[in-house]
Amino acid sequence: MSDLAAELGLFGREDALHVMTDLIDSGGSAVATGDPGSGKSSLMRVAVRLAQARGRRVLSVTPTQFEQGLPFAGLAELVGQCPEGADAELPGPQRRALAVALHRAEPTGSEVDALAVPLAVRGLLTRLCETEPIALLVDDLQWLDQASVGSLGFALRGIAVEPGRLSVLVATRPDPYTGTDLIRSLAEPRREFVLPPLADDAVGQVLRDRLGPRWTPPMSAGVARASGGNALLALEIARAMEADPSRRRGSVVPVPPSLADLLRERVERLPRGAREVLLLASAAGRLTVAQARGIVDEARLREALEDAADEDVASVGAGSTIVFSHPLMASAVYDAATAGERRRAHRALAEALDDPVERARHRSRTVTAPDEAVAAELERAAEISRGRGAQRLAGELLEGAALATPDGGLDRWLRAVDVYGDAGDEMAARSALDKGSALATLPEQQTQVLTRRVRLAEDVTTARSLAEQALLLAPAGSEAHAEIMSVLAALCRLQGDGTRGLELARAAVAEAASLERWEIQLSALSERLAIERHWGAGDPEQSLRDVEALAERATPPLSASWLAFIRGFYAAWDDDSAERQVRDGIAWAVDAGRYGELSLLYVALVLILIRSSKVEEARAALDEAARTGAWTASSRDWSAAYTSQEAMARVLVDGYSGNLDVAREWARRAVAAPRIRESTYWRGGFLAQLGFVETSARDWQAALEPLRELAGIFASTRMVDMEALLWAVDYADAALKTGAMQEVDTAIAVLRRQASAGRPEAAVAADRCEALRKAARGDVDEALTELRAIAGRAGAECPFEAARSRLALGQVYRRAGYKGLAGETLNAAAAAFDQLGVPRWAERARLEAGRVGLRPTTSGLTETERRVAELVGAGQSNQETAAELFMSVKTVEANLTRIYRKLSVRSRTELANLMKAGVPEP
């Protein structure tokens, strides 16, 4: 490895080379961390050679400091290395979004969805890995533009490729805040290594390799010590000594200048013409020779590039782009220029470049006083950037426009806040709001500022306080007044204040309708519907009809996916149309490229499927949501921002699927999260799910803790329903098991109120809980009469709750001494739970059946299972059984798993004993 490192020019980096070689050979990910000048770029160049030698397609990204402001610059470099037509199989909206983001197509006027480009990148990488192994290399991550960081991070986090097909190497500086989203997205096991200072002999090898054999060990020793083992610094010190021999004192450099000073000196040794051309290249971030010809005449340009190459400062690279020998050299060129020289360079670029966003970006760096013409140009560029999906840059351009506006530009400041919010950058949004808020002097302007502070508030209490202030300031009948009423209604709902929330929602609906502001009216109608459902007030069916009527007449048309969500989220368990409507909404959102709307739609779909006991389908929907990127969508809507849709969906699916440890962890983390803890509504939802998880685990005391708190929330807020969740059934179940009979009464009362609010299945559940309470108090016969009646009501409950009713009937049969009926009923309940994919409840039913006192029967075994049981019970091994029955060993093992469950045995010994005792035949 040492010889290979020397051959590749990686002196003293044998450990790093070993990691890289393994990465390229085996796939996976690695992060190399090192200070400026430590050799990260040299490492990446070697990685390119290794990957190409091993037949991998190399996609390398080498950003510079001046490309940070160019959205998707890194992504453009990466995609440019893909085969022609690699994006042909991407969905239309994704392909279009990628083309617009990379300036290969013009925006159509509508904004590109924030998720369209990241999804396109994931799809592109997935397809490439299917055809050939890929090496993705990112140098100087700290300078990669945020749009590319986000897109690559998203793509790598969810990519599904065969092992070994993708190798990812990232090089970055030791900054814990640099590119953390991308680094966290890298596949595990993730190798991480640091590039330490080079040993003296390794520095000497670098000098001899780059500057010639005259740098003997005695000559290089002083440079090595002075550089502190930094390869770039050592080279610059040596070059400075060669350029000015007076600096050399024997073989020692006693006080070396800083790297920045040395780089500046090298830049200053260039002729003036070369410095001017290189300043254009550094200011542009990425400048081609053709673009430079539009600014500098041919002869002067050629001479400048020759001088730069002679001094090893810059050269012409791939795509005829002017490339600096090291990223730090670009910074040195820019830093060496005066402020006036920089302005002139940006002005020249603004006049010469074709892209309007680039022109505006450079124009903003030439402004020394407010200028409306420049402000208008920046505002137009911001709209173009939004159309390309570069929301973060659009916010920056709007900030620049606001600063260039002679009267202060409050509207532009507020738009910048909104755009930053759309991009999910709350810190930038708050900063922009602070800068522009002093310009708000009129009540309506101050209301607009406060409304945005509400959306950016970190807790619901602060948000509501700000919203109340805004409501007092907003002129009645104004758009600002209608909007803040709708927002405040949502906050009241989240805090459990349904009475005031409903009052505000109704007023907001009326005011928005009079103003013909359909989007505000829809938001207010949605809040009215939610509050009516949760508090059992008003007429939720009429509110739903109002939403549908609004959707038909609104101009422009309302989102079809939003209407599908409204219809599905509150649907009854037996609403056969709900699932189809939500799936249609998902398909519409995907076809339209409205990926940001998928999160709520998938939550609605999971709720519908769980309510109707389609657990496996809910699991499939959860996985599908992850593939589509639904859980990464962001929203400026305050109420959506303070929820965790993914957490709720995962708790539901994992809880019913029997993955209780996973579900418990998700629920506990959610309940403890500050934003959810501040929201009565969302905390209540997770408490309900945590109670279900602990009930499924048969940990009755653990179940009572969250359910008691939830009962207190319902009592204090007077809520009657919560997304049709029958959480009070679990409360009654746990209370019965612990003898807390008064709490059973409380749970039944909650179910009765829920039933009165339009949930008939809650009435059936309440009847079941009352029957169990009677049985616990000794009224077994009456309890049996009621439970048999409940079990006979076909279609009155969802299949899961119907199986629970059968379980309850079997339990009471056992209590009454009807062993045969008890065993039959409990086994039937277990089979029903099995069929639904709810294993923990099937296990509970079988445990209850095991307490009946009857011997197990083979009536539940298939013919194949019975024959396997006989042979294994007779002492044959799995291999012997497989041979006799002409099946694989895996098939025998699968049959044994089902036999153990059905016969309530846990080992071959128990099965043998059972078979010897003579299991009754069917």
Side-chain angles (χ1 to χ4, degrees):
M1 189 63 71
S2 179
D3 291 341
L4 178 60
E7 179 186 339
L8 296 171
L10 287 182
F11 305 105
R13 298 295 187 210
E14 290 79 10
D15 291 345
L17 180 60
H18 177 78
V19 172
M20 278 201 313
T21 303
D22 182 57
L23 173 72
I24 299 299
D25 287 341
S26 307
S29 60
V31 180
T33 304
D35 292 320
S38 61
K40 298 188 299 297
S41 296
S42 297
L43 198 70
M44 299 301 279
R45 285 193 289 270
V46 169
V48 171
R49 292 175 57 186
L50 290 173
Q52 290 173 337
R54 285 160 170 77
R56 287 187 180 269
R57 174 177 291 276
V58 175
L59 305 177
S60 61
V61 184
T62 55
T64 68
Q65 178 183 359
F66 299 93
E67 291 176 299
Q68 281 185 303
L70 301 176
F72 302 113
L75 197 56
E77 185 178 2
L78 183 150
V79 175
Q81 299 164 60
C82 295
E84 186 72 25
D87 63 344
E89 295 184 13
L90 293 176
Q94 295 177 26
R95 188 170 61 252
R96 172 73 183 169
L98 188 62
V100 170
L102 303 186
H103 304 187
R104 297 179 176 182
E106 290 300 316
T108 57
S110 59
E111 293 178 23
V112 171
D113 189 281
L115 280 176
V117 174
L119 282 167
V121 177
R122 179 193 289 175
L124 191 61
L125 288 176
T126 301
R127 285 164 176 77
L128 287 176
C129 288
E130 290 171 352
T131 59
E132 58 185 327
I134 301 294
L136 175 59
L137 312 175
V138 181
D139 193 10
D140 280 317
L141 176 61
Q142 73 277 358
W143 286 338
L144 186 62
D145 65 277
Q146 286 303 305
S148 294
V149 168
S151 295
L152 283 174
F154 174 90
L156 294 173
R157 181 166 53 250
I159 195 167
V161 298
E162 292 182 13
R165 300 290 287 181
L166 179 63
S167 300
V168 183
L169 176 61
V170 174
T172 186
R173 292 183 182 177
D175 180 352
Y177 303 106
T178 295
T180 52
D181 288 343
L182 193 152
I183 290 174
R184 281 198 298 264
S185 301
L186 298 180
E188 295 288 353
R190 184 175 67 230
R191 310 159 179 89
E192 298 191 16
F193 59 96
V194 176
L195 299 179
L198 291 176
D200 289 0
D201 62 335
V203 172
Q205 289 177 296
V206 172
L207 296 180
R208 287 189 289 278
D209 181 66
R210 298 289 297 276
L211 302 180
R214 62 187 176 279
W215 286 94
T216 61
M219 285 184 63
S220 62
V223 175
R225 289 192 295 272
S227 68
N230 185 293
L232 181 60
L233 180 55
L235 283 167
E236 292 304 317
I237 290 172
R239 286 193 177 104
M241 292 171 66
E242 288 181 337
D244 183 6
S246 65
R247 291 187 175 189
R248 180 179 173 189
R249 304 175 185 175
S251 60
V252 178
V253 181
V255 184
S258 69
L259 179 57
D261 290 340
L262 286 170
L263 292 176
R264 178 189 289 270
E265 288 179 12
R266 183 130 72 96
V267 170
E268 290 175 347
R269 287 199 295 271
L270 290 168
R272 182 179 182 82
R275 293 202 305 271
E276 290 176 352
V277 169
L278 294 179
L279 176 59
L280 290 170
S282 65
R286 196 170 288 266
L287 188 71
T288 65
V289 173
Q291 290 171 324
R293 284 197 187 104
I295 304 172
V296 182
D297 66 78
E298 181 73 28
R300 183 178 161 209
L301 177 61
R302 184 182 298 108
E303 182 180 1
L305 293 176
E306 288 175 353
D307 290 336
D310 290 343
E311 287 293 330
D312 194 24
V313 173
S315 60
V316 178
S320 295
T321 302
I322 300 173
V323 181
F324 288 90
S325 59
H326 192 280
L328 291 174
M329 199 62 72
S331 303
V333 169
Y334 196 83
D335 293 342
T338 65
E341 289 171 336
R342 294 174 193 165
R343 282 197 298 274
R344 285 192 291 276
H346 286 295
R347 190 174 294 117
L349 290 166
E351 297 297 332
L353 295 178
D354 295 328
D355 184 69
V357 175
E358 282 300 286
R359 288 201 306 269
R361 183 170 160 267
H362 288 293
R363 187 87 66 200
S364 68
R365 287 164 170 77
T366 69
V367 176
T368 55
D371 185 325
E372 180 55 35
V374 173
E377 184 178 3
L378 288 168
E379 188 172 34
R380 286 193 297 273
E383 289 306 307
I384 294 171
S385 292
R386 293 189 73 183
R388 291 174 176 171
Q391 303 281 17
R392 184 71 173 73
L393 176 61
E396 293 174 2
L397 290 167
L398 282 168
E399 278 205 64
L403 288 168
T405 304
D407 67 356
L410 175 62
D411 288 344
R412 286 167 173 158
W413 281 115
L414 296 180
R415 287 180 59 206
V417 172
D418 294 342
V419 170
Y420 281 133
D422 288 338
D425 193 338
E426 292 186 357
M427 184 178 296
R430 290 190 187 97
S431 175
L433 190 57
D434 289 341
K435 293 173 186 174
S437 59
L439 300 170
T441 55
L442 301 176
E444 189 160 359
Q445 293 174 329
Q446 292 169 344
T447 303
Q448 291 175 325
V449 169
L450 281 171
T451 300
R452 286 161 176 82
R453 292 204 185 281
V454 168
R455 298 189 189 280
L456 294 169
E458 294 186 350
D459 63 82
V460 67
T461 303
T462 300
R464 182 172 177 179
S465 175
L466 291 168
E468 296 283 9
Q469 295 175 44
L471 187 62
L472 293 174
L473 281 172
S478 67
E479 179 181 318
H481 191 262
E483 182 179 13
I484 197 63
M485 279 199 296
S486 179
V487 171
L488 187 52
L491 293 168
C492 289
R493 173 175 61 83
L494 291 174
Q495 279 200 317
D497 189 351
T499 301
R500 178 157 167 73
L502 185 57
E503 174 191 335
L504 288 163
R506 286 169 172 167
V509 168
E511 199 159 70
S514 67
L515 296 167
E516 296 189 346
R517 287 303 308 270
W518 312 124
E519 70 280 8
I520 298 176
Q521 187 179 355
L522 176 63
S523 176
L525 271 172
S526 301
E527 283 305 322
R528 192 180 85 188
L529 172 60
I531 295 169
E532 287 172 343
R533 280 290 188 198
H534 298 148
W535 272 268
D539 186 349
E541 295 303 322
Q542 180 59 51
S543 292
L544 181 58
R545 289 192 291 271
D546 289 346
V547 169
E548 293 170 340
L550 177 62
E552 291 179 0
R553 68 175 188 273
T555 305
L558 297 175
S559 165
S561 61
W562 180 254
L563 186 57
F565 165 74
I566 292 294
R567 285 170 172 162
F569 192 71
Y570 300 105
W573 72 269
D574 56 351
D575 183 344
D576 295 332
S577 66
E579 181 183 347
R580 176 184 52 78
Q581 289 171 336
V582 173
R583 289 193 185 277
D584 287 347
I586 290 171
W588 179 89
V590 170
D591 289 343
R594 302 282 287 268
Y595 301 105
E597 298 175 10
L598 290 174
S599 176
L600 289 174
L601 283 168
Y602 274 107
V603 168
L605 181 57
V606 168
L607 273 171
I608 289 168
L609 293 171
I610 290 294
R611 284 176 192 148
S612 54
S613 307
K614 299 176 181 178
V615 179
E616 290 302 319
E617 291 181 40
R619 168 66 65 186
L622 190 68
D623 294 340
E624 182 183 304
R627 288 194 301 273
T628 61
W631 306 133
T632 61
S634 62
S635 170
R636 282 198 304 111
D637 181 78
W638 196 95
S639 60
Y642 272 67
T643 67
S644 178
Q645 291 94 349
E646 179 182 12
M648 179 57 75
R650 287 194 179 278
V651 173
L652 278 166
V653 173
D654 283 318
Y656 277 83
S657 298
N659 304 319
L660 300 186
D661 289 341
V662 175
R664 184 183 293 110
E665 179 63 20
W666 274 100
R668 285 178 176 172
R669 280 165 45 195
V671 167
R675 288 187 169 184
I676 290 176
R677 191 169 57 241
E678 288 283 335
S679 169
T680 302
Y681 166 71
W682 275 97
R683 181 173 176 81
F686 283 109
L687 289 171
Q689 288 310 305
L690 187 55
F692 175 77
V693 168
E694 300 298 0
T695 302
S696 300
R698 302 189 298 281
D699 189 339
W700 315 117
Q701 288 294 344
L704 280 177
E705 183 178 345
L707 295 173
R708 278 173 179 156
E709 182 180 346
L710 182 54
I713 288 174
F714 266 57
S716 62
T717 63
R718 298 184 181 180
M719 288 178 67
V720 299
D721 192 20
M722 182 176 285
E723 277 42 289
L725 298 173
L726 298 179
W727 63 270
V729 176
D730 303 316
Y731 188 27
D733 198 354
L736 280 165
K737 288 293 187 296
T738 56
M741 302 307 291
Q742 188 172 349
E743 292 186 80
V744 178
D745 295 340
T746 301
I748 292 171
V750 169
L751 289 168
R752 294 293 182 205
R753 290 197 300 274
Q754 191 174 5
S756 67
R759 299 293 184 191
E761 67 273 22
V764 182
D767 290 344
R768 184 207 312 153
C769 293
E770 282 195 352
L772 286 170
R773 180 183 57 181
K774 290 176 181 177
R777 289 175 172 169
D779 298 332
V780 175
D781 291 339
E782 187 175 348
L784 282 175
T785 300
E786 293 177 5
L787 287 171
R788 280 194 291 261
I790 291 171
R793 294 186 215 169
E797 299 178 280
C798 71
F800 174 74
E801 290 300 328
R804 285 183 77 164
S805 290
R806 198 172 299 176
L807 171 63
L809 177 58
Q811 289 172 317
V812 178
Y813 270 139
R814 181 179 60 78
R815 182 186 292 269
Y818 299 118
K819 292 185 177 182
L821 287 172
E824 179 183 338
T825 305
L826 291 168
N827 283 322
F833 286 129
D834 272 332
Q835 187 174 3
L836 295 173
V838 192
R840 295 304 184 97
W841 286 81
E843 178 184 316
R844 179 178 173 183
R846 287 195 177 88
L847 287 172
E848 292 284 353
R851 298 172 62 192
V852 171
L854 293 176
R855 287 185 296 164
T857 174
T858 59
S859 61
L861 300 184
T862 65
E863 180 61 23
T864 299
E865 290 167 351
R866 187 181 61 76
R867 293 174 68 195
V868 169
E870 289 172 348
L871 292 173
V872 172
Q876 291 198 22
S877 67
N878 289 0
Q879 289 82 359
E880 291 169 336
T881 302
E884 183 161 340
L885 298 178
F886 300 99
M887 61 177 60
S888 70
V889 174
K890 284 189 176 179
T891 302
V892 171
E893 292 171 348
N895 275 279
L896 274 175
T897 299
R898 292 192 293 271
I899 291 165
Y900 286 176
R901 185 180 68 238
K902 291 180 178 181
L903 298 184
S904 299
V905 297
R906 294 172 294 179
S907 67
R908 300 171 76 90
T909 302
E910 288 186 13
L911 177 61
N913 292 335
L914 191 64
M915 300 304 289
K916 288 176 185 177
V919 181
E921 292 298 324

